[in-house]
Amino acid sequence: MSADTVSVTGWGRTAPTAARLIRPRTYEEAAAAVRDCGARGGIPRGLGRSYGDAAQNAGGAVFDMTGLDRVHVIDAADGIVLCDAGVSLHRLIDVLLPLGWFVPVTPGTRYVTVGGAIGSDIHGKNHHVSGSFSRHVLSLELLTADGEIRTVGRGTPLFDATTGGMGLTGVILTATVQLHAVETSLMSVDTERARDLDDLLARLAATDHRYRYSVAWIDLLARGTATGRAVLTRGDHAPLEALPKGTRARREPLAFRPTRLPAVPAILPESLLSRTTVGLYNDLWYRTAPRARTGELQKISAFFHPLDGVPHRNRIYGRGGFVRYQFVVGHDQEDAVRRIVRRISERRCPSVLAVLKRFGDADPGWLSFPVPGWTLALDIPAALPGLGAFLDELDEEVAAAGGRVCLAKDSRLRPELLTAMYPRLDDFRALRAELDPRGVFTSDLSRRLAL
């Protein structure tokens, strides 16, 4: 087991802190790392795709769990996998897709670990149908602060505190996950343009139920009558019969061939993503999208993870990094969505990647982010003048509408808003106090928000 003092940061690269990075290779080494982590405690970490400070621990220990990455058992008949928490979704797709199975939920990157997927209770384009990742976890093994390894099943308080609990209940060692059956590695995709935000909300509300996966890229620099214009992309796994006969795709229907593009340079000028350049890019993206196209066949990697082919893409916003801001408000809060989109548009936030979609029924995780309603996520350069005060104002608007922000993306929420956003927060704190009275598991996020 190796340990080095390094600078650790989230995917947004906004607030690095120094910690002792410990890399256990066995369950016994993981238990020893927890036992000997020191007065500042420790926090498990996967592939570092949480945008903010959830997997950082200034002056303490960070447990890099990617060395525990075995796939133990695959039930190819029933679509169930038992694997270590350090296994990435990329590896699961690579191993399971040729067998006719796909991960039940994936975010916009497949480079997250199973443990991270559970700790953040990740959501994807299919939340309105399939819920978040924890809905498909049958059980997990959790290393708790007392050194005990507990088998945790669905429907228990510890399961509900752990799913979405940001690694603060313990180190997830293994998980048993129910998979989704597919016939091919291609997607059948419908694309259409929405002329403004009202048009987009109406299309999503009226027809989302027809699709397993649905997401809208939204132009947050458009103003006036074009405010909220968007490109709506929806689809499902293509059946074998949809693949053209005599093609390579038909001969190898379950092949997984992700695309890889050149890496983003280590240093990019901050001016590259100015309001002007982003506005031109957004306009080009919108105008070149089809007005309406149905049944296009796309690779799974292109549909779910188009940016994974660009190594180090988090460098694109320059040295200052970026903030990923995501909120959700209820289905009856369309006016709040309109106000917030209008404010972002008027503020001229240069966001290349902004998506809007609908959430379905919530899962029982006490700190799980998704609740039924509308969710908007956007990247914003951290160096944008006045950004902190502006996002504080948006937080107030979200809280007033009964909504919440996503903790896996957060790096700056004020703690006084947390209770209003997460009504099971007191239950979570009480269980943590009972399970981990010495505060072994702690992070920069948990200290900042008093979790």
Side-chain angles (χ1 to χ4, degrees), residues 38 43 57 75 90 143 160 189 194-195 222 230 249 276 327 367 370 417 448 451:
I43 192 71
N57 184 23
D75 182 341
H90 171 83
L143 171 64
D160 294 344
V189 181
R195 63 182 179 273
T276 300
F327 71 88
L367 296 187
L417 291 177
R448 175 169 58 84
L451 291 173

Side-chain angles (χ1 to χ4, degrees), residues 253-299:
L254 290 167
F256 180 51
R257 300 187 183 93
T259 303
R260 190 170 179 84
L261 299 172
V264 174
I267 299 176
L268 283 176
E270 304 288 346
S271 60
L272 185 65
L273 290 178
S274 66
R275 293 181 177 97
T276 300
T277 56
V278 173
L280 290 171
Y281 171 84
N282 287 358
D283 188 62
L284 179 65
W285 182 266
Y286 178 79
R287 293 183 185 280
T288 56
R291 292 184 181 274
R293 181 175 60 198
T294 60
E296 181 191 15
L297 294 178
Q298 294 183 7
K299 290 182 179 181

Side-chain angles (χ1 to χ4, degrees), residues 102 106-110 124-126 128 185-191 211-216 231-238 256-259 285 293 296-309 353 355 357:
F102 189 64
T106 176
T109 175
R110 59 185 179 274
K125 299 176 181 179
N126 59 339
H128 64 293
S185 62
L186 295 175
M187 304 296 296
S188 177
V189 181
D190 293 353
T191 305
Y211 300 90
R212 175 173 291 274
Y213 303 99
S214 175
V215 69
V231 178
L232 182 54
T233 307
R234 297 181 286 187
D236 207 336
H237 297 276
F256 180 51
R257 300 187 183 93
T259 303
W285 182 266
R293 181 175 60 198
E296 181 191 15
L297 294 178
Q298 294 183 7
K299 290 182 179 181
I300 271 179
S301 58
F303 181 78
F304 290 105
H305 317 117
L307 296 180
D308 273 352
L353 183 60
V355 295
K357 56 191 174 187

Side-chain angles (χ1 to χ4, degrees), residues 15-102:
T17 54
R20 198 159 44 95
L21 192 68
I22 303 173
R23 303 175 181 87
R25 299 291 177 180
T26 66
Y27 301 155
E28 291 77 17
E29 286 185 355
V34 170
R35 184 175 59 249
D36 302 328
C37 63
R40 291 284 286 181
I43 192 71
R45 181 182 176 94
L47 288 167
R49 290 318 197 263
S50 290
Y51 289 81
D53 52 5
Q56 297 175 222
N57 184 23
V62 172
F63 312 126
D64 179 348
M65 300 305 297
T66 56
L68 288 166
D69 61 351
R70 291 168 295 176
V71 177
H72 294 282
V73 179
I74 299 172
D75 182 341
D78 292 329
I80 297 172
V81 62
L82 168 62
C83 63
D84 283 343
V87 173
S88 70
L89 297 192
H90 171 83
R91 185 168 176 220
L92 283 187
I93 295 170
D94 191 43
V95 170
L96 298 169
L97 193 55
L99 303 177
W101 297 99
F102 189 64

Side-chain angles (χ1 to χ4, degrees), residues 128-195:
H128 64 293
V129 172
S130 302
S132 51
F133 195 87
S134 66
R135 184 178 301 185
H136 310 275
V137 176
L138 305 180
S139 65
L140 57 89
E141 287 185 304
L142 185 72
L143 171 64
T144 49
D146 56 7
E148 181 180 345
I149 297 177
R150 307 177 187 225
T151 299
V152 184
R154 297 164 60 110
T156 62
L158 186 52
F159 186 91
D160 294 344
T162 300
T163 55
M166 309 310 295
L168 296 171
T169 61
V171 179
I172 301 170
L173 296 177
T174 71
T176 302
V177 183
Q178 178 69 60
L179 305 167
H180 177 67
V182 297
E183 294 183 11
T184 75
S185 62
L186 295 175
M187 304 296 296
S188 177
V189 181
D190 293 353
T191 305
E192 58 190 291
R193 287 191 296 191
R195 63 182 179 273

Side-chain angles (χ1 to χ4, degrees), residues 381-394:
L384 192 70
L387 179 61
F390 177 66
L391 293 182
D392 285 346
E393 293 173 2
L394 294 191

Side-chain angles (χ1 to χ4, degrees), residues 91 103 121 141 265 276 279 292 342 388 449:
R91 185 168 176 220
V103 292
D121 201 13
E141 287 185 304
T276 300
R342 192 177 305 114
L449 294 179

